[in-house]
Amino acid sequence: MLYRRIRNLREDHDMKQREVASFLNCSQQVYSNYELGQRDIPTETLIKLSQLYNVSVDYILEISNNPEISKM
Amino acid sequence: MLYRRIRNLREDHDMKQREVASFLNCSQQVYSNYELGQRDIPTETLIKLSQLYNVSVDYILEISNNPEISKM
């Protein structure tokens, strides 16, 4: 599966792959493979990306078009 | 990480591990390891669980306490 949204989110935040990889504690190559859908994103990484961009995981995974994390 | 909510969701739906594993096309052992947090849940499986129980992935991952998938 292709993770288009993490690429778009990164670009919207004017971040380089290298910077996001550093935040995630992974290599740029591994991060690049996430964006290309060549490597599954581990759950903990999905959560970190959600925190980095302050968007819901449902938005990252294209389950929802609403980036807001629902509060209750 | 422990996935408490997928255990609670399964029990709330009166389903056996065997049944959820069958839905996910994995063995009961693999599914059991998901619930115990001994194996990371792949993204595609998170999405399938979200569909099975009609809850957000954010709820499954305890990012949100709201099970509803946000529509926009």
Side-chain angles (χ1 to χ4, degrees), chain A residues 2-58:
Chain A
L2 186 64
Y3 299 99
R4 278 171 295 192
R5 283 205 171 139
I6 67 166
R7 176 169 197 155
N8 291 342
L9 285 164
R10 177 176 62 73
E11 291 176 347
D12 290 348
H13 286 73
D14 290 320
M15 290 180 79
K16 307 278 186 203
Q17 286 195 347
R18 179 176 40 75
E19 295 170 298
V20 180
S22 168
F23 173 80
L24 297 174
N25 278 318
C26 69
S27 68
Q28 182 179 340
Q29 185 58 56
V30 164
Y31 177 76
S32 172
N33 284 338
Y34 291 154
E35 282 196 359
L36 295 169
Q38 289 172 352
R39 191 184 183 111
D40 193 59
I41 303 183
T43 307
E44 294 285 4
T45 301
L46 283 176
I47 294 171
K48 281 189 191 167
L49 288 167
S50 157
Q51 292 166 341
L52 176 61
Y53 300 124
N54 195 30
V55 296
S56 67
V57 173
D58 294 273

Side-chain angles (χ1 to χ4, degrees), chain A residues 1 3 40-44 46-47 50 55-58 61 63-67 69-72, chain B residues 1 3 40-44 46-47 50 55-58 61 63-67 69-72:
Chain A
M1 101 176 238
Y3 299 99
D40 193 59
I41 303 183
T43 307
E44 294 285 4
L46 283 176
I47 294 171
S50 157
V55 296
S56 67
V57 173
D58 294 273
L61 300 180
I63 292 171
S64 168
N65 290 321
N66 185 355
I69 298 168
S70 176
K71 310 286 183 201
M72 212 168 70
Chain B
M1 100 177 238
Y3 299 99
D40 194 60
I41 303 183
T43 307
E44 294 285 4
L46 282 175
I47 294 170
S50 157
V55 297
S56 66
V57 172
D58 293 273
L61 299 180
I63 291 171
S64 169
N65 290 321
N66 185 355
I69 299 167
S70 176
K71 309 286 182 201
M72 212 169 71

Side-chain angles (χ1 to χ4, degrees), chain B residues 23 44 46-55 60 69:
Chain B
F23 174 81
E44 294 285 4
L46 282 175
I47 294 170
K48 281 189 193 167
L49 287 168
S50 157
Q51 292 166 339
L52 175 62
Y53 301 124
N54 195 30
V55 297
I60 292 173
I69 299 167

